[in-house]
Amino acid sequence: MPRTPPSSAATDAAMSEGCVVALDVGGTEVKGALVDRSAYPVHAESRPTNRQAGVEAVVSAVEAFGAQLVERAGGDRVRALGLVVPGLVDSRNGVARYSVTLGWRDLPLRDRFSASLGLPVALDHDVRAGALAEGLLGAARGCGDFLFLPVGTGIAGGMVLDGRPYAGSGTAAGEIGHTPVSPAGERCTCGQYGCLEVYASAAGVVRRYVTASGTSVNGPDDVIQRASSGDEVAARVWGEAVDALATALASYTLLLDPDLVVIGGGMAGAGQALFGPLGDRLRAGLAWRPPPRLVPAELGAQAGCLGAAVVAWRLAGAPLEGDSDAR
Ligand SMILES: [Zn+2]
């Protein structure tokens, strides 16, 4: 758990106000937590998503997980439940519109979970919720304009504009992974060509290295290691990944003028091998203005779950300390 536990007295005091259940449904695992009023996860666990079992089986299993967390907390101590999922999410109407990863369309998850668990339920988007958590509890504390950019198997963006996560007109804002960085480039899983994700996601870096070299590798870190050890193919693939990220971030910066870019996901672990050249290339791509600061995310894999807790506490009418923008 990346967060420092509060003193037991503080936890007792926070738990006297009850807790919320937070659930973060991902493609491979579902993370669940009981989060107190100090934003500390007093209990956290994860389970496999088993998405091959089908949509109804996945949703039923998440519902059962939520019910068990409620029971563990002692039932009436639970104030609300926050549920975050990937894809297109209409948080206003509580509907999971579409997810390629989980294979669902138009699921009214908020009302379903609220009816079965007997709790107020907030449904939100996993990356926007992660951005909310990084802004309140993590690397972007005190920053009103930033991009939360998890770079992992895919690339998504949680845009925070003027202190609020921005969903766009059709809840599809932030799909920076599918912005074109090389219009005549390689085909993406989305059907377009030359998307950022093709070049700079963890999966993209590995796939492009394996294709170019004929050598198998153990993840993107292995490619980065080879690049720094003189492997020319690895250096080219990694250089193109950094260039693609810099191109996309230059466009974002010129349009939206962020103060900060918070890079999360597995790739953030690359450290200086990523942040050094990316900062240089972003600066070079912005002739007349300074680049935003680039920082690693602080909440790691817990960002989505903590974001679910933030929206649940808002719904409970008791926003977390410092959450001045609760609506
Ligand atoms: Zn794409």
Side-chain angles (χ1 to χ4, degrees):
M1 200 61 62
R3 309 207 64 234
T4 308
S7 69
S8 59
T11 304
D12 290 346
M15 276 302 279
S16 71
E17 298 182 75
C19 65
V20 295
V21 171
L23 289 166
D24 176 8
V25 183
T28 53
E29 62 176 12
V30 182
K31 299 186 188 73
L34 297 172
V35 180
D36 72 14
R37 189 76 199 294
S38 69
Y40 184 70
V42 291
H43 171 77
E45 62 179 286
S46 59
R47 298 179 180 180
T49 306
N50 286 330
R51 61 183 157 146
Q52 68 283 356
V55 171
E56 180 49 38
V58 168
V59 175
S60 296
V62 176
E63 220 168 2
F65 190 3
Q68 285 156 21
L69 288 169
V70 171
E71 191 179 318
R72 184 185 180 96
D76 57 7
R77 295 176 70 95
V78 178
R79 305 277 301 272
L81 181 143
L83 172 65
V84 303
V85 300
L88 299 181
V89 182
D90 177 353
S91 54
R92 184 162 305 187
N93 293 301
V95 179
R97 292 283 175 213
Y98 179 57
S99 168
V100 179
T101 312
L102 295 166
W104 63 41
R105 276 186 191 276
D106 296 326
L107 292 183
L109 293 179
R110 180 187 65 194
D111 291 350
R112 172 170 169 170
F113 275 60
S114 187
S116 65
L117 299 175
L119 283 170
V121 173
L123 177 73
D124 218 313
H125 181 254
D126 54 357
V127 179
R128 284 198 291 276
L132 191 61
E134 287 287 348
L136 190 62
L137 308 164
R141 275 186 302 274
C143 180
D145 288 275
F146 69 93
L147 174 67
F148 172 49
L149 187 71
V151 183
T153 306
I155 299 179
M159 307 160 64
V160 174
L161 308 178
D162 205 14
R164 291 173 179 172
Y166 183 73
S169 65
T171 74
E175 291 289 353
I176 195 169
H178 299 286
T179 53
V181 293
S182 179
E186 297 172 23
R187 191 177 174 91
C188 178
T189 51
C190 75
Q192 299 294 334
Y193 291 84
C195 297
L196 170 63
E197 198 168 289
V198 170
Y199 299 92
S201 66
V205 167
V206 168
R207 177 184 49 74
R208 296 188 75 239
Y209 178 78
V210 170
T211 302
S213 69
T215 309
S216 62
V217 283
N218 297 315
D221 291 349
D222 195 356
V223 178
I224 295 165
Q225 179 61 42
R226 285 164 190 252
S228 66
S229 307
D231 179 331
E232 288 180 11
V233 176
R236 177 175 60 77
V237 167
W238 180 239
E240 287 169 353
V242 172
D243 280 344
L245 276 171
T247 299
L249 289 179
S251 296
Y252 187 92
T253 300
L254 290 163
L255 274 175
L256 293 165
D257 189 24
D259 182 37
L260 199 61
V261 176
V262 178
I263 299 181
M267 207 71 104
Q272 204 45 32
L274 171 65
F275 286 88
L278 180 58
D280 291 344
R281 289 182 209 191
L282 180 55
R283 192 173 299 107
L286 296 167
W288 51 267
R289 59 152 295 156
R293 290 176 293 138
L294 304 177
V295 298
E298 288 184 6
L299 303 178
Q302 293 298 322
C305 222
L306 289 169
V310 173
V311 294
W313 275 115
R314 285 181 177 184
L315 187 64
L320 294 174
E321 192 179 334
D323 187 9
S324 57
D325 201 61
R327 283 173 291 175

